[in-house]
Amino acid sequence: MAIENFNRELATHDFVQQMKWNVELRQRFEQDPGAVLDQFELLPQERTAIEERDFKALYDIGVHPYLLSQLARLLYGTVEGAGSSEASLALVRSLLGEDAPS
Amino acid sequence: MADIVFAAAVSHAPGLTGWFDKADEESQRNVREAYATVGSDIRDANLDLLVIIANDHLANFPVTDYPDFVFGMIDEHSGPDTWFKPWLAVEDYSMPGRPDLAEAVYGHLQGAGANVVRWDEPLRFDDNISVPVTLTGFKDMGVAVLPVIQNCTVPPVPDERASYKLGEQLGEALRALPDGLRIGVLGSGGLSHEPGGKRYLAIDGDFDRWFLDLLAEGDHDKVLREATFERMEEAGIGGTAELLSWLVAMGSIGERPCEVLTYAEVPEWRCGVGAVRWTV
């Protein structure tokens, strides 16, 4: 058992890491997420999954899980002092399919 | 010949500083005391250099080009990285490096066969370094640090035997430093957790207790046979294998008596938390 379906070529990795490393990029993303996403060579399914906060789709196509946790923080925010933040709960719900449309 | 006079390994997790008080009081007390013991040991060891082997949570390098072991060569190591500050809630810190010693150690490891990389720029530290140096109080001791950042999560990962072997070579390199220098080794990582995965909010307490008992037995061949990378992954994909950093520390000192200082299974911390020290 190891990380399944890891695809290091996916631009989502670069997007999340650049967002972590660049405060200005994070600020621009808050104002105009589409313009920031345009800067990265995301596959259509990557872009859709990011926009729809569909972590399971990203997991299934090979995004590294640790960066999924960071993406969840980018999208949902960091709640200081929270043991079970909205970001982590949203991520796990998505991976388990609990937020899939019925 | 220098001497390795201190060796220990501890867990790290953002919750240990960011939301420590979410745990029950007994776990808080036990974990606080264990880190304080490690800090006290470091202080008493009167070190010239502490080598901290800690995994990199994809904080420094793109996944397309991910080194196995990165040595921080500069004269000052600061943290935490800006992105992690709200999460970790620790004071900013700055610790001296020893570029001369880092250069000697790095030079010794050339040709060792491992993917060892030098880094002459500041490394980004998240909980990997920030949590242990804060909870042990090391950040305020004024002792020089050599950070070694290890890949434990981006495939292909240097497995248990590669990590232990690198540890053996690191131990040789450290003992080859000038006479009289007092060196410490601290592994940072684990125990069970699965960051960003389906078991993100779960801990494998059975694995953690088994692993700590195995270390306390002190048979390194048995550890390498049983505590494999695959076994670690079964107990939490992409996270539990941070224990490979503990194996580097073990390799650097060889078989020595190991004492388990604590274990806490606190779901809110999202990571099994333990600490061990070796008699060196």
Side-chain angles (χ1 to χ4, degrees):
Chain A
M1 184 185 296
I3 291 173
E4 300 167 329
N5 305 323
F6 173 58
N7 180 356
R8 70 185 71 245
E9 301 302 328
L10 295 174
T12 297
H13 297 121
D14 192 32
F15 163 65
V16 176
Q17 289 189 300
Q18 292 299 328
M19 288 278 282
K20 288 170 60 183
W21 295 340
N22 187 332
V23 177
E24 278 183 25
L25 193 65
R26 290 205 293 276
Q27 290 168 343
R28 290 218 309 276
F29 185 76
E30 282 181 19
Q31 294 159 2
D32 189 352
V36 171
L37 291 175
D38 285 344
Q39 293 178 225
F40 296 88
E41 295 182 7
L42 297 160
L43 300 172
Q45 58 265 47
E46 288 181 273
R47 175 147 183 161
T48 300
I50 292 170
E51 290 173 338
E52 296 183 353
R53 302 185 176 192
D54 186 347
F55 300 105
K56 185 172 189 308
L58 292 167
Y59 182 87
D60 287 343
I61 63 172
V63 174
H64 193 288
Y66 184 84
L67 291 181
L68 281 185
S69 75
Q70 302 294 289
L71 177 62
R73 288 186 57 212
L74 287 165
L75 297 177
Y76 285 91
T78 299
V79 181
E80 292 182 41
S84 298
S85 66
E86 184 185 359
S88 60
L89 292 173
L91 170 54
V92 172
R93 277 198 303 269
S94 175
L95 293 177
L96 295 177
E98 293 174 358
D99 61 351
S102 55
Chain B
M1 180 173 166
D3 296 304
I4 299 176
V5 296
F6 163 84
V10 295
S11 300
H12 60 242
L16 290 178
T17 53
W19 52 93
F20 188 75
D21 60 357
K22 298 291 181 185
D24 60 276
E25 287 189 11
E26 183 182 1
S27 295
Q28 289 186 50
R29 184 173 60 253
N30 290 343
V31 168
R32 189 183 294 115
E33 287 177 358
Y35 281 88
T37 298
V38 172
S40 177
D41 284 357
I42 293 173
R43 195 173 285 107
D44 293 346
N46 194 24
L47 298 178
D48 295 293
L49 180 73
L50 178 66
V51 182
I52 303 180
I53 304 117
N55 62 287
D56 189 51
H57 301 104
L58 300 101
N60 288 284
F61 306 100
V63 297
T64 48
D65 185 17
Y66 214 80
D68 288 343
F69 299 95
V70 179
F71 283 63
M73 308 296 286
I74 60 178
D75 60 5
E76 187 174 13
H77 300 283
S78 301
D81 178 55
T82 304
W83 163 248
F84 291 92
K85 287 183 180 183
W87 219 21
L88 296 175
V90 298
E91 291 179 7
D92 290 356
Y93 57 87
S94 184
M95 306 176 294
R98 278 290 298 268
D100 57 332
L101 301 182
E103 198 74 52
V105 173
Y106 176 76
H108 197 104
L109 290 170
Q110 295 312 292
N115 178 7
V116 175
V117 170
R118 62 179 297 147
W119 203 249
D120 295 286
E121 302 290 331
L123 287 161
R124 298 183 188 89
F125 298 140
D126 48 41
D127 52 318
N128 58 356
I129 297 284
S130 305
V131 165
V133 303
T134 298
L135 295 183
T136 61
F138 177 78
K139 68 184 180 65
D140 299 318
M141 293 184 194
V143 176
V145 64
L146 169 55
V148 179
I149 302 299
Q150 179 178 5
N151 172 26
C152 296
T153 188
V154 179
V157 169
D159 67 9
E160 67 284 351
R161 291 186 184 276
S163 298
Y164 191 87
K165 183 180 178 188
L166 189 280
E168 291 178 316
Q169 294 163 328
L170 175 63
E172 290 173 11
L174 294 172
R175 283 183 286 272
L177 292 173
D179 286 351
L181 286 180
R182 297 173 65 82
I183 311 297
V185 177
L186 179 67
S188 172
L191 288 136
S192 67
H193 64 306
E194 187 168 292
K198 293 175 184 173
R199 294 177 289 174
Y200 192 15
L201 307 179
I203 294 169
D204 189 337
D206 290 341
F207 169 88
D208 291 343
R209 292 184 189 89
W210 168 80
F211 180 80
L212 292 171
D213 288 346
L214 188 60
L215 260 57
E217 281 186 43
D219 181 342
H220 287 196
D221 285 337
K222 186 176 180 184
V223 172
L224 293 174
R225 282 196 310 274
E226 298 189 3
T228 60
F229 172 70
E230 289 74 17
R231 180 70 189 86
M232 295 176 188
E233 289 281 283
E234 288 173 9
I237 298 170
T240 309
E242 293 174 6
L243 292 170
L244 293 169
S245 295
W246 295 31
L247 296 188
V248 175
M250 290 165 63
S252 75
I253 56 173
E255 283 192 359
R256 303 296 175 105
C258 176
E259 176 189 1
V260 178
L261 295 172
T262 197
Y263 177 66
E265 184 179 354
V266 178
E268 289 81 0
W269 287 341
R270 294 186 215 145
C271 184
V273 174
V276 301
R277 63 178 169 184
W278 290 275
T279 302
V280 292

